[in-house]
Amino acid sequence: MHEAAPTGVKDLFPARKVLRHSVRGQVLDALRAALVDGELAPGEIYSGPALGERFGVSATPVREAMQQLALEGAVECLPNRGFRVLSRTPRAMAELAEVRALLEVPVVLRLARTVPAQAWAELRPAAAAAAEAAEAGDPAGYADADRAFHRELLSLGGNEQLVSVAQGLHRRSQWPLPGVPRVRRAELVAAAAEHTALLEALIAGDLPLVEQVLRSHFGTA
C-alpha cells in the first residue's frame, strides 16, 4: 500500500497572519488552531516547506512547531516527507474525557471546601471569554478560552504539575474526530454555559451541584 503524497496547503485552509517576532510560537498557534478547526485533516501529510510558504516564513519554524505538535501527540514525523496528522477514535476521546474527569473532579471538589466565594467569582471574566468565543461560533477561539478557564480553575490549588498535565490532556481532547463536521455554535454555547453554572455552584458552596456540572461537562455523568 503506497503512502499518500504530501498534501499541498493552498486553498485547504485560510492563511493566518504570522508576525515576525516569535515566529515559531506564531506558527505553532496557527497550526493548533487549524487542528481544532479541522483544517489540517487527520491522515493527511503536510510538508514543512509548503506550510512555510503558506505562512510566509521559512520551513525551519514550521518544522520546529510540528515537532512540538508531535510531542503533544497531534502529528507524527515522516523523515524526508513531512508530518502526518494523527487520526483519533471515539474511544480515545472518551478515554481522555474519563482521565480528565478523574483528575479534575476530585481536585475541584477539594478546592470547593476551602477556596472562598470571592476567588471563584474572580473567574467570571474567564468564563465570559469562553462564552464570547462560543457565541461567535469560533471553535479555535473557544478552545483557547476553554483551556484558560480550566487552567485558572485548577491553578487555585497551587499545584503547577497538575495544571500542566491537565492542560496537555485538555488540548488533546479538543482535536476533532476524522470525518466529524465542524463543531456547531450551539454546542459551543452549551459547553460555555456549563462554565458559568459551575462557578455559580462553587460560589454557592453547593458541592453536589459542583460535581454534577463537572461530570456533565466531561460527559461522564
Side-chain angles (χ1 to χ4, degrees):
M1 182 176 180
H2 296 292
E3 294 277 6
T7 301
V9 294
K10 187 177 181 181
D11 300 327
L12 273 181
F13 58 89
R16 300 177 189 272
K17 186 176 181 181
V18 175
L19 302 179
R20 287 298 172 183
H21 65 278
S22 186
V23 175
R24 175 188 174 277
Q26 293 287 328
V27 170
L28 181 57
D29 287 345
L31 291 173
R32 282 172 170 164
L35 279 168
V36 172
D37 282 337
E39 294 161 355
L40 290 176
E44 296 292 345
I45 300 172
Y46 298 89
S47 74
L51 286 168
E53 182 179 355
R54 183 64 175 171
F55 291 131
V57 300
S58 71
T60 298
V62 174
R63 292 194 182 102
E64 291 173 347
M66 279 293 198
Q67 286 164 359
Q68 175 59 37
L69 290 177
L71 291 175
E72 295 173 4
V75 304
E76 65 175 333
C77 301
L78 302 176
N80 302 317
R81 303 196 63 219
F83 303 85
R84 179 191 286 120
V85 179
L86 294 176
S87 295
R88 291 154 293 281
T89 65
R91 177 173 178 175
M93 299 297 274
E95 289 174 349
L96 279 170
E98 181 181 8
V99 174
R100 288 189 64 209
L102 288 170
L103 183 67
E104 295 195 33
V105 172
V107 170
V108 175
L109 286 174
R110 175 173 56 81
L111 293 175
R113 295 181 175 90
T114 58
V115 173
Q118 181 56 37
W120 297 120
E122 290 174 0
L123 300 187
R124 281 176 171 149
E132 182 178 349
E135 288 288 350
D138 177 7
Y142 176 78
D144 287 342
D146 184 29
R147 287 196 313 279
F149 173 81
H150 283 266
R151 181 173 61 249
E152 290 193 30
L153 189 74
L154 295 175
S155 291
L156 291 175
N159 188 327
E160 294 182 3
Q161 296 302 316
L162 183 146
V163 173
S164 177
V165 170
Q167 286 283 288
L169 291 168
H170 196 165
R171 188 183 295 282
R172 290 172 63 189
S173 73
Q174 293 175 322
W175 304 327
L177 292 167
V180 174
R182 192 171 188 261
V183 63
R184 294 178 299 177
R185 174 180 169 277
E187 295 171 326
L188 296 177
V189 170
E194 291 176 335
H195 292 160
T196 301
L198 174 61
L199 287 184
E200 295 309 315
L202 287 164
I203 291 168
D206 188 338
L207 269 64
L209 182 56
V210 167
E211 182 170 5
Q212 177 185 331
V213 174
L214 274 173
R215 293 196 180 282
S216 174
H217 194 59
F218 292 127
T220 60

